[in-house]
Amino acid sequence: NAGVMQNPRHLVRRRGQEARLRCSPMKGHSHVYWYRQLPEEGLKFMVYLQKENIIDESGMPKERFSAEFPKEGPSILRIQQVVRGDSAAYFCASSGGTNTEAFFGQGTRLTVV
Amino acid sequence: QQPVQSPQAVILREGEDAVINCSSSKALYSVHWYRQKHGEAPVFLMILLKGGEQKGHEKISASFNEKKQQSSLYLTASQLSYSGTYFCGTEYSGGYQKVTFGIGTKLQVIP
């Protein structure tokens, strides 16, 4: 009974490289959310997706960041040309619908050097 | 808009009680409570929907005052395992679940 799976757990990228973060939701869940957490800070909403659709991306930076949740396969958060300020923990959560609990993955800790 | 949590940090001795508050400047549709231990994923505690309900399990309960646009989390007879950062998340409209989290309340329970 696997939970939300994120990989990699830790990712190191040099400035200017691309980072790809993957999230496989819980079985049966079609709602995926991405959050960013900086040290000693809260969880900042980035994007909410359902299968093949971006529902709300109001928390995503306009440039360099994109997200997708294809019909088959995991959800991907992609950060192009990473900068040091992108270093953070990125959490993915999934739920089966509205007003239901969301389960979080273990997060991907991105470090940009 | 981010909900405001108070206090920002609290230290308790085992067996003591604590209240964590979460308030919003906008009308709330629902409030979600999570606990996160250092280096781990946030873990769901409970959801409260508008209607002024109160929920709880074991020694952790919460209330939701729709008129005051706030929620409170009550921890009674605290245990060491309660230590962590507690986040409230607020949803401002139904239809889909975009949850906006506060910056959290750090709770440390000491023997």
Side-chain angles (χ1 to χ4, degrees), chain A residues 4-5 15 29-30 35 37 42 58 76 83 88:
Chain A
V4 179
M5 303 298 292
R15 279 180 296 171
H29 284 186
S30 59
Y35 289 86
Q37 187 175 39
S58 57
I76 306 285
V83 300

Side-chain angles (χ1 to χ4, degrees), chain A residues 9 33 35 37 40-43 45 48 55-56 58 91 95 97-106 109, chain B residues 2 29-30 32 34 36 39-44 47 49 87 91 95-104 106:
Chain A
R9 291 288 307 276
Y33 318 84
Y35 289 86
Q37 187 175 39
E40 308 303 316
E41 292 192 15
L43 296 149
F45 170 83
Y48 162 49
I55 307 301
D56 186 328
S58 57
F91 286 96
S95 73
T98 59
N99 299 320
T100 61
E101 62 187 285
F103 293 87
F104 280 82
Q106 291 297 307
R109 279 146 185 86
Chain B
Q2 194 176 35
Y29 183 82
S30 66
H32 307 232
Y34 285 80
Q36 184 181 32
E40 298 182 8
V43 174
F44 172 81
I47 289 179
L49 302 179
F87 291 101
E91 189 182 358
Y96 70 80
Q97 191 180 21
K98 173 187 172 180
V99 179
T100 305
F101 287 95
I103 63 170
K106 285 186 180 177

Side-chain angles (χ1 to χ4, degrees), chain B residues 17-58:
Chain B
D17 302 340
V19 180
I20 299 172
N21 299 304
C22 174
S23 62
S24 169
S25 58
K26 287 174 63 175
L28 294 173
Y29 183 82
S30 66
V31 178
H32 307 232
W33 286 98
Y34 285 80
R35 176 173 63 209
Q36 184 181 32
K37 294 185 182 283
H38 184 70
E40 298 182 8
V43 174
F44 172 81
L45 294 176
M46 62 192 79
I47 289 179
L48 299 100
L49 302 179
K50 67 176 184 177
E53 64 174 340
Q54 183 156 354
K55 274 192 176 180
H57 52 82
E58 295 186 356

Side-chain angles (χ1 to χ4, degrees), chain B residues 29-89:
Chain B
Y29 183 82
S30 66
V31 178
H32 307 232
W33 286 98
Y34 285 80
R35 176 173 63 209
Q36 184 181 32
K37 294 185 182 283
H38 184 70
E40 298 182 8
V43 174
F44 172 81
L45 294 176
M46 62 192 79
I47 289 179
L48 299 100
L49 302 179
K50 67 176 184 177
E53 64 174 340
Q54 183 156 354
K55 274 192 176 180
H57 52 82
E58 295 186 356
K59 298 175 183 175
I60 301 177
S61 61
S63 62
F64 179 17
N65 189 318
E66 187 182 343
K67 285 185 179 177
K68 292 186 178 180
Q69 296 168 185
Q70 65 186 35
S71 175
S72 295
L73 186 72
Y74 307 94
L75 302 114
T76 56
S78 59
Q79 305 168 14
L80 294 176
S81 61
Y82 286 4
S83 293
T85 300
Y86 289 78
F87 291 101
C88 80

